[in-house]
Amino acid sequence: MLYIWLTLLSLILLWNTTTADLGSNHETCCALTRLDIETRLSTKSPYRSIANYNDTQPHYPGCVPTRIWATIRHGTRMPSKSVIARAQERLTVIQDMLLQQAKPKLCAKELEQLRKWSWQHFNPEDDEKLLMAEGENELIELAERMQLRFPSLLPDPYDPDWYYMKYTATQRTLKSAQSFATGLFGRHRIHTVNYPRPLHRDPILRVSRTSFNILKYLKISNIYDYNTYDIKNKWLYITNLN
Ligand SMILES: *[C@@H]1O[C@H](CO)[C@@H](O)[C@H](O)[C@H]1NC(C)=O
């Protein structure tokens, strides 16, 4: 989230310099939409702006899907405490610089939005790495799309003999698992889902913390693309697990 904001603010700065010759009375607001910006934030692009929305069931002649395995990263979370603190300090400085310009190149509505913007309600100690609403929605929607593609493998309702779901011992992965379950079974049924006891150093889910680094192996074998969250049109979703 921090990087999104840093990038948004630098885009606004960039906009200012490129439109400087249009005069200082900015009655027209910036024509950039959120989507224009959000699809261009590299690994910080919100998943909803770049996701694979094709939920058609894949058909391969002579084949039927029998099993699905997925290792899925948690959704969008808060940054670490040092990054939150740095963002609160630095982004406020940039905000003030933008607001104190003698001839601001922003329209009145944008100036008002910028004036109201604040990150001070976040607490670096308490909020670090917490899953955000954005992240919950990512997992809900990912589960819904996967269920549409593989309805025979991901049936609704939940059956403990059919599903095995596991998360590591952090708030962000617990919330992500619950959000994924929400996408599959609906919000009112997620309390029936059985999870094994979460481990902090799970040897499967946190392979990058073990001596055999499967992520490096996958990268070398060109199966794993760090910059796109998933491998399009394949059922296997592999992401950075940290
Ligand atoms: C959507 O997915 C189906 C099944 O995998 C595939 O056949 C089709 O080509 C995809 N459509 C697009 C537009 O990518």
Side-chain angles (χ1 to χ4, degrees):
M1 276 176 83
L2 161 77
Y3 299 107
I4 293 173
W5 273 106
L6 281 178
T7 321
L8 283 181
L9 283 174
S10 43
L11 278 175
I12 293 168
L13 282 169
L14 208 71
W15 176 261
N16 281 343
T17 46
T18 53
T19 57
D21 54 344
L22 292 178
S24 55
N25 265 346
H26 278 256
E27 275 143 31
T28 44
C29 302
C30 173
L32 279 177
T33 64
R34 283 190 77 97
L35 198 66
D36 286 335
I37 299 167
E38 287 171 346
T39 51
R40 292 174 167 81
L41 301 178
S42 184
T43 57
K44 304 295 171 192
S45 288
Y47 200 30
R48 65 186 145 71
S49 69
I50 50 154
N52 177 8
Y53 285 105
N54 182 353
D55 50 26
T56 310
Q57 289 179 44
H59 287 292
Y60 296 96
C63 296
V64 283
T66 58
R67 194 174 265 252
I68 191 162
W69 293 73
T71 310
I72 302 174
R73 200 189 181 198
H74 58 77
T76 295
R77 59 157 170 80
M78 286 293 287
S80 65
K81 63 179 172 222
S82 64
V83 174
I84 297 174
R86 211 149 31 93
Q88 287 174 328
E89 204 182 299
R90 182 65 190 145
L91 295 182
T92 308
V93 170
I94 298 175
Q95 180 187 28
D96 288 343
M97 280 161 58
L98 286 168
L99 290 172
Q100 282 163 16
Q101 295 171 110
K103 292 180 177 178
K105 316 295 192 305
L106 298 164
C107 74
K109 188 175 138 224
E110 287 158 350
L111 281 172
E112 188 52 28
Q113 286 173 337
L114 189 61
R115 202 169 285 121
K116 281 191 191 148
W117 179 85
S118 171
W119 243 40
Q120 301 309 317
H121 57 286
F122 289 120
N123 181 319
E125 293 285 336
D126 298 343
D127 295 337
E128 80 160 340
K129 300 194 177 175
L130 293 187
L131 196 78
M132 299 278 91
E134 174 84 34
E136 290 183 29
N137 291 336
E138 284 164 355
L139 272 297
I140 291 171
E141 287 165 23
L142 182 64
E144 287 172 352
R145 292 195 300 271
M146 285 175 79
Q147 195 170 43
L148 286 168
R149 293 206 112 176
F150 303 99
S152 64
L153 293 180
L154 301 170
D156 171 13
Y158 170 73
D159 175 353
D161 292 331
W162 185 269
Y163 283 99
Y164 182 76
M165 293 161 77
K166 196 173 190 214
Y167 60 90
T168 52
T170 62
Q171 183 267 5
R172 59 187 177 279
T173 48
L174 163 62
K175 286 279 202 185
S176 295
Q178 289 173 337
S179 302
F180 195 80
T182 302
L184 293 180
F185 316 120
R187 199 170 294 280
H188 56 289
R189 275 185 297 195
I190 61 168
H191 302 291
T192 61
V193 178
N194 295 337
Y195 299 101
R197 190 171 61 87
L199 304 171
H200 187 64
R201 286 180 174 264
D202 190 300
I204 306 289
L205 294 175
R206 292 192 110 180
V207 274
S208 58
R209 299 291 165 98
T210 64
S211 53
F212 173 65
N213 190 335
I214 195 169
L215 294 180
K216 266 191 198 142
Y217 166 77
L218 291 169
K219 239 181 210 170
I220 293 162
S221 10
N222 220 1
I223 301 170
Y224 173 68
D225 181 352
Y226 192 87
N227 291 320
T228 59
Y229 272 52
D230 59 36
I231 305 168
K232 285 206 174 137
N233 296 321
K234 301 242 164 49
W235 54 265
L236 181 64
Y237 285 70
I238 300 167
T239 67
N240 178 4
L241 303 173
N242 287 319

mmCIF file of all heavy atoms in Angstrom, residues 52-60 149-150 232-234, ligand 1:
data_model
loop_
_atom_site.group_PDB
_atom_site.id
_atom_site.type_symbol
_atom_site.label_atom_id
_atom_site.label_comp_id
_atom_site.label_asym_id
_atom_site.label_seq_id
_atom_site.Cartn_x
_atom_site.Cartn_y
_atom_site.Cartn_z
ATOM 1 N N ASN A 52 -6.842 -12.339 -14.005
ATOM 2 C CA ASN A 52 -7.357 -13.088 -15.146
ATOM 3 C C ASN A 52 -8.849 -13.351 -14.880
ATOM 4 O O ASN A 52 -9.199 -14.209 -14.075
ATOM 5 C CB ASN A 52 -6.576 -14.398 -15.274
ATOM 6 C CG ASN A 52 -7.104 -15.272 -16.383
ATOM 7 O OD1 ASN A 52 -7.965 -14.854 -17.156
ATOM 8 N ND2 ASN A 52 -6.598 -16.492 -16.461
ATOM 9 N N TYR A 53 -9.696 -12.595 -15.554
ATOM 10 C CA TYR A 53 -11.138 -12.699 -15.309
ATOM 11 C C TYR A 53 -11.819 -13.755 -16.178
ATOM 12 O O TYR A 53 -13.030 -13.848 -16.191
ATOM 13 C CB TYR A 53 -11.817 -11.334 -15.502
ATOM 14 C CG TYR A 53 -11.540 -10.395 -14.342
ATOM 15 C CD1 TYR A 53 -10.652 -9.335 -14.461
ATOM 16 C CD2 TYR A 53 -12.163 -10.599 -13.114
ATOM 17 C CE1 TYR A 53 -10.378 -8.493 -13.392
ATOM 18 C CE2 TYR A 53 -11.907 -9.763 -12.037
ATOM 19 C CZ TYR A 53 -11.022 -8.717 -12.186
ATOM 20 O OH TYR A 53 -10.758 -7.908 -11.120
ATOM 21 N N ASN A 54 -11.011 -14.501 -16.911
ATOM 22 C CA ASN A 54 -11.588 -15.577 -17.730
ATOM 23 C C ASN A 54 -11.959 -16.734 -16.803
ATOM 24 O O ASN A 54 -11.089 -17.425 -16.294
ATOM 25 C CB ASN A 54 -10.548 -16.018 -18.769
ATOM 26 C CG ASN A 54 -11.083 -17.094 -19.689
ATOM 27 O OD1 ASN A 54 -12.181 -17.607 -19.490
ATOM 28 N ND2 ASN A 54 -10.289 -17.433 -20.699
ATOM 29 N N ASP A 55 -13.265 -16.933 -16.590
ATOM 30 C CA ASP A 55 -13.663 -18.024 -15.701
ATOM 31 C C ASP A 55 -14.343 -19.171 -16.458
ATOM 32 O O ASP A 55 -15.104 -19.943 -15.891
ATOM 33 C CB ASP A 55 -14.517 -17.512 -14.537
ATOM 34 C CG ASP A 55 -15.655 -16.630 -15.005
ATOM 35 O OD1 ASP A 55 -16.086 -16.785 -16.155
ATOM 36 O OD2 ASP A 55 -16.113 -15.794 -14.197
ATOM 37 N N THR A 56 -14.034 -19.245 -17.767
ATOM 38 C CA THR A 56 -14.533 -20.375 -18.564
ATOM 39 C C THR A 56 -13.838 -21.658 -18.114
ATOM 40 O O THR A 56 -12.644 -21.658 -17.852
ATOM 41 C CB THR A 56 -14.208 -20.147 -20.061
ATOM 42 O OG1 THR A 56 -14.647 -18.842 -20.410
ATOM 43 C CG2 THR A 56 -14.876 -21.169 -20.953
ATOM 44 N N GLN A 57 -14.593 -22.742 -18.056
ATOM 45 C CA GLN A 57 -13.979 -24.015 -17.669
ATOM 46 C C GLN A 57 -13.035 -24.506 -18.763
ATOM 47 O O GLN A 57 -13.452 -24.596 -19.921
ATOM 48 C CB GLN A 57 -15.062 -25.065 -17.446
ATOM 49 C CG GLN A 57 -15.891 -24.834 -16.206
ATOM 50 C CD GLN A 57 -16.964 -25.903 -16.059
ATOM 51 O OE1 GLN A 57 -16.708 -27.083 -16.253
ATOM 52 N NE2 GLN A 57 -18.161 -25.470 -15.731
ATOM 53 N N PRO A 58 -11.793 -24.844 -18.431
ATOM 54 C CA PRO A 58 -10.891 -25.359 -19.463
ATOM 55 C C PRO A 58 -11.268 -26.786 -19.865
ATOM 56 O O PRO A 58 -11.678 -27.571 -19.013
ATOM 57 C CB PRO A 58 -9.511 -25.327 -18.803
ATOM 58 C CG PRO A 58 -9.714 -24.959 -17.398
ATOM 59 C CD PRO A 58 -11.170 -24.780 -17.119
ATOM 60 N N HIS A 59 -11.158 -27.066 -21.140
ATOM 61 C CA HIS A 59 -11.441 -28.428 -21.623
ATOM 62 C C HIS A 59 -10.266 -28.923 -22.437
ATOM 63 O O HIS A 59 -9.839 -28.261 -23.382
ATOM 64 C CB HIS A 59 -12.702 -28.442 -22.494
ATOM 65 C CG HIS A 59 -13.952 -28.277 -21.690
ATOM 66 N ND1 HIS A 59 -14.396 -29.233 -20.806
ATOM 67 C CD2 HIS A 59 -14.832 -27.253 -21.620
ATOM 68 C CE1 HIS A 59 -15.509 -28.797 -20.219
ATOM 69 N NE2 HIS A 59 -15.789 -27.584 -20.690
ATOM 70 N N TYR A 60 -9.721 -30.047 -22.053
ATOM 71 C CA TYR A 60 -8.674 -30.697 -22.831
ATOM 72 C C TYR A 60 -9.214 -32.055 -23.243
ATOM 73 O O TYR A 60 -9.605 -32.838 -22.366
ATOM 74 C CB TYR A 60 -7.390 -30.836 -21.995
ATOM 75 C CG TYR A 60 -6.807 -29.498 -21.616
ATOM 76 C CD1 TYR A 60 -7.090 -28.916 -20.375
ATOM 77 C CD2 TYR A 60 -5.992 -28.796 -22.500
ATOM 78 C CE1 TYR A 60 -6.582 -27.675 -20.029
ATOM 79 C CE2 TYR A 60 -5.475 -27.557 -22.172
ATOM 80 C CZ TYR A 60 -5.773 -27.006 -20.936
ATOM 81 O OH TYR A 60 -5.274 -25.778 -20.598
ATOM 82 N N ARG A 149 -14.269 -21.958 -12.633
ATOM 83 C CA ARG A 149 -13.480 -22.716 -13.609
ATOM 84 C C ARG A 149 -13.490 -24.211 -13.313
ATOM 85 O O ARG A 149 -13.417 -25.013 -14.226
ATOM 86 C CB ARG A 149 -12.009 -22.241 -13.598
ATOM 87 C CG ARG A 149 -11.816 -20.834 -14.089
ATOM 88 C CD ARG A 149 -10.424 -20.650 -14.646
ATOM 89 N NE ARG A 149 -10.540 -20.460 -16.085
ATOM 90 C CZ ARG A 149 -9.521 -20.200 -16.884
ATOM 91 N NH1 ARG A 149 -8.300 -20.136 -16.408
ATOM 92 N NH2 ARG A 149 -9.701 -20.017 -18.167
ATOM 93 N N PHE A 150 -13.508 -24.554 -12.038
ATOM 94 C CA PHE A 150 -13.429 -25.981 -11.656
ATOM 95 C C PHE A 150 -14.553 -26.343 -10.693
ATOM 96 O O PHE A 150 -14.299 -26.733 -9.550
ATOM 97 C CB PHE A 150 -12.060 -26.289 -11.036
ATOM 98 C CG PHE A 150 -10.912 -25.951 -11.940
ATOM 99 C CD1 PHE A 150 -10.219 -24.753 -11.780
ATOM 100 C CD2 PHE A 150 -10.533 -26.811 -12.958
ATOM 101 C CE1 PHE A 150 -9.158 -24.424 -12.629
ATOM 102 C CE2 PHE A 150 -9.483 -26.494 -13.806
ATOM 103 C CZ PHE A 150 -8.800 -25.293 -13.648
ATOM 104 N N LYS A 232 -1.202 -17.771 -15.941
ATOM 105 C CA LYS A 232 -2.513 -17.671 -16.588
ATOM 106 C C LYS A 232 -2.939 -18.981 -17.236
ATOM 107 O O LYS A 232 -2.140 -19.682 -17.831
ATOM 108 C CB LYS A 232 -2.489 -16.556 -17.631
ATOM 109 C CG LYS A 232 -2.541 -15.208 -16.964
ATOM 110 C CD LYS A 232 -3.141 -14.162 -17.876
ATOM 111 C CE LYS A 232 -3.293 -12.885 -17.089
ATOM 112 N NZ LYS A 232 -2.889 -11.721 -17.855
ATOM 113 N N ASN A 233 -4.233 -19.260 -17.117
ATOM 114 C CA ASN A 233 -4.857 -20.430 -17.745
ATOM 115 C C ASN A 233 -4.321 -21.768 -17.245
ATOM 116 O O ASN A 233 -4.533 -22.779 -17.859
ATOM 117 C CB ASN A 233 -4.733 -20.366 -19.269
ATOM 118 C CG ASN A 233 -5.475 -19.190 -19.822
ATOM 119 O OD1 ASN A 233 -6.567 -18.865 -19.343
ATOM 120 N ND2 ASN A 233 -4.898 -18.521 -20.790
ATOM 121 N N LYS A 234 -3.634 -21.755 -16.118
ATOM 122 C CA LYS A 234 -3.216 -23.021 -15.512
ATOM 123 C C LYS A 234 -3.862 -23.085 -14.144
ATOM 124 O O LYS A 234 -4.113 -22.063 -13.514
ATOM 125 C CB LYS A 234 -1.701 -23.074 -15.380
ATOM 126 C CG LYS A 234 -0.985 -22.947 -16.702
ATOM 127 C CD LYS A 234 -0.180 -24.190 -16.983
ATOM 128 C CE LYS A 234 0.236 -24.277 -18.433
ATOM 129 N NZ LYS A 234 0.831 -23.092 -18.967
HETATM 130 C C1 LIG B 1 -10.669 -18.458 -21.512
HETATM 131 O O1 LIG B 1 -10.385 -19.731 -20.973
HETATM 132 C C2 LIG B 1 -10.737 -20.807 -21.837
HETATM 133 C C3 LIG B 1 -10.508 -22.099 -21.058
HETATM 134 O O2 LIG B 1 -9.172 -22.185 -20.567
HETATM 135 C C4 LIG B 1 -9.947 -20.730 -23.108
HETATM 136 O O3 LIG B 1 -10.304 -21.766 -23.973
HETATM 137 C C5 LIG B 1 -10.213 -19.400 -23.785
HETATM 138 O O4 LIG B 1 -9.379 -19.258 -24.898
HETATM 139 C C6 LIG B 1 -9.943 -18.246 -22.803
HETATM 140 N N1 LIG B 1 -10.357 -17.016 -23.409
HETATM 141 C C7 LIG B 1 -9.565 -15.970 -23.504
HETATM 142 C C8 LIG B 1 -10.165 -14.744 -24.108
HETATM 143 O O5 LIG B 1 -8.413 -15.972 -23.099
#
